[in-house]
Amino acid sequence: MTGRILVTGGTGFIGAAMVRRLVAEGREVRVLDDNSRGAPRRLAEVAGKYEMVEGDIRDPAAVRRAMRGVESCLHLAYVNGTEFFYSKPELVLDVAVRGMINVLDACRAEGVGDLVLASSSEVYQTPPMVPTPETVPLAVPDPLNPRYSYGGGKIICELMAVNYGRSDFDRVAIFRPHNVYGPDMGWEHVLPQFVLRMADLVASQPEGTIRFPIQGSGAETRSFNWIGDFVDGARLVMDKGEHLGIYHIGDREEMAIADVARLVGTHFGRVVAVAPGTLMAGGTPRRCPDIAKLVALGYAPKVSLAQGLPLFAEWYVANRALRPT
């Protein structure tokens, strides 16, 4: 990506990390966000070094205004967080589909030929193989399950970006993040919830083994990607990703959720007895990406979950007052 870059969703967790990196590299950056879920505090360290356009990604005029005068667009604006998939599926889809249409229309109207889209590992749901390459089929297993509002919206975004990209863009590239985590990532995700629940349990039970209820058996797996490693991967896609290329960004370290809970307990100096529970419909038994395509571009994740978790947990314990009530 060259020239001035528009980052949609630039005050979100991932968006702000991308903006901070781009500004540190000396790039000209414009941010579009309505701060409905983003937080300007995430960009405090680069205040005055980027241009801010406040607006809703669903507003065509706002997107067109933000797109004017840039050379490339990194489209991140979306509603993330598992809680929202179930509680506000119509909002998830509205932001996904209207946002993608508006970005494509604004790019074409303003002559912006370079577009990089953030998709998700949720597009393939329960993968047929693990580690999972980019070539597996995409799926919405049950349209009546509100969880699939997120993955379904991302599938629509990928299809639109690829098919408009064939004729109307110089380059469209897509990356699929896999469980990116880090300080100030939001409150509706498994790691923040584990940390804050553990902190409460430790405070209420100063001694002994901590009984820690979870969803599912605990054998379900995920691969967690430290935000700094993720940004490295996203920058490679932005700079080296091929036209209509799709790239998984993640880590090869696959961990059972029960082991994640025990690791959180270890951070607090406690032994954890995991108490299995019911897995919500639509939960995926295993997820770990094949990152060979991105490794071929130079990607090399450096931070394991055991290394990243302490800084992550310390931020959440210190900043729990920021949690929405």
Side-chain angles (χ1 to χ4, degrees):
M1 283 185 150
T2 60
R4 182 180 296 172
I5 299 171
L6 172 65
V7 180
T8 71
T11 63
F13 168 57
I14 285 178
M18 296 302 304
V19 171
R20 293 194 301 266
R21 176 68 65 86
L22 290 165
V23 169
E25 293 172 0
R27 307 295 296 271
E28 285 188 78
V29 181
R30 180 181 293 163
V31 170
L32 172 66
D33 210 311
D34 64 357
N35 297 316
S36 57
R37 298 194 63 243
R41 67 169 181 269
R42 293 185 174 122
L43 294 175
E45 68 183 66
V46 293
K49 298 179 180 179
Y50 67 94
E51 181 185 357
M52 183 72 201
V53 176
E54 291 195 28
D56 190 329
I57 195 69
R58 295 171 295 177
D59 178 358
V63 180
R64 178 81 182 266
R65 185 170 67 253
M67 197 71 68
R68 191 165 296 131
V70 304
E71 284 71 47
S72 52
C73 176
L74 174 60
H75 180 37
L76 302 170
Y78 210 84
V79 176
N80 197 1
T82 307
E83 287 184 10
F84 291 115
F85 307 169
Y86 291 99
S87 65
K88 298 182 178 181
E90 73 288 351
L91 174 65
V92 172
L93 282 165
D94 195 38
V95 170
V97 179
R98 292 182 196 272
M100 190 75 254
I101 290 171
N102 289 342
V103 166
L104 291 169
D105 285 348
C107 281
R108 294 184 298 159
E110 297 297 332
V112 177
D114 193 12
L115 172 66
V116 174
L117 169 69
S119 183
S120 170
S121 58
E122 292 277 337
V123 295
Y124 56 75
Q125 296 303 328
T126 301
M129 64 188 74
V130 178
T132 306
E134 292 85 352
T135 53
V136 297
L138 311 188
V140 177
D142 179 7
L144 296 180
N145 185 335
R147 179 190 177 91
Y148 300 125
S149 58
Y150 184 84
K154 288 292 191 183
I155 291 173
I156 293 169
C157 289
E158 285 200 19
L159 287 171
M160 294 189 70
V162 166
N163 287 292
Y164 278 87
R166 295 183 196 280
S167 57
D168 294 347
F169 288 80
D170 301 319
R171 184 187 67 149
V172 169
I174 297 169
F175 59 74
R176 296 176 184 157
H178 287 66
N179 291 90
V180 183
Y181 75 102
D184 205 3
M185 68 179 290
W187 307 91
E188 309 86 10
H189 309 274
V190 63
L191 286 181
Q193 291 175 350
F194 273 24
V195 165
L196 293 176
R197 279 207 291 128
M198 194 72 71
D200 289 341
L201 288 167
V202 167
S204 65
Q205 184 181 329
E207 297 180 352
T209 298
I210 298 290
R211 182 181 181 275
F212 195 75
I214 63 169
Q215 292 183 24
S217 69
E220 298 83 6
T221 68
R222 294 295 183 270
S223 175
F224 295 93
N225 192 206
W226 177 248
I227 183 63
D229 288 339
F230 165 80
V231 172
D232 289 343
R235 290 294 293 113
L236 284 168
V237 176
M238 291 170 68
D239 287 345
K240 299 182 179 181
E242 65 182 11
H243 183 44
L244 306 185
I246 300 173
Y247 301 87
H248 284 173
I249 306 179
D251 196 287
R252 290 181 169 130
E253 179 187 37
E254 184 180 7
M255 290 190 68
I257 295 301
D259 290 335
V260 175
R262 295 185 189 105
L263 186 63
V264 174
T266 299
H267 172 74
F268 287 94
R270 302 298 289 275
V271 174
V272 169
V274 174
T278 302
L279 185 66
M280 293 186 74
T284 301
R286 289 183 69 192
R287 183 168 290 152
C288 182
D290 182 339
I291 56 174
K293 279 183 69 174
L294 197 57
V295 167
L297 297 185
Y299 181 59
K302 305 174 186 68
V303 181
S304 69
L305 184 60
Q307 294 169 317
L309 183 68
L311 180 61
F312 173 86
E314 288 164 10
W315 188 93
Y316 273 92
V317 172
N319 291 279
R320 63 189 311 160
L322 296 174
R323 183 175 188 171
T325 57

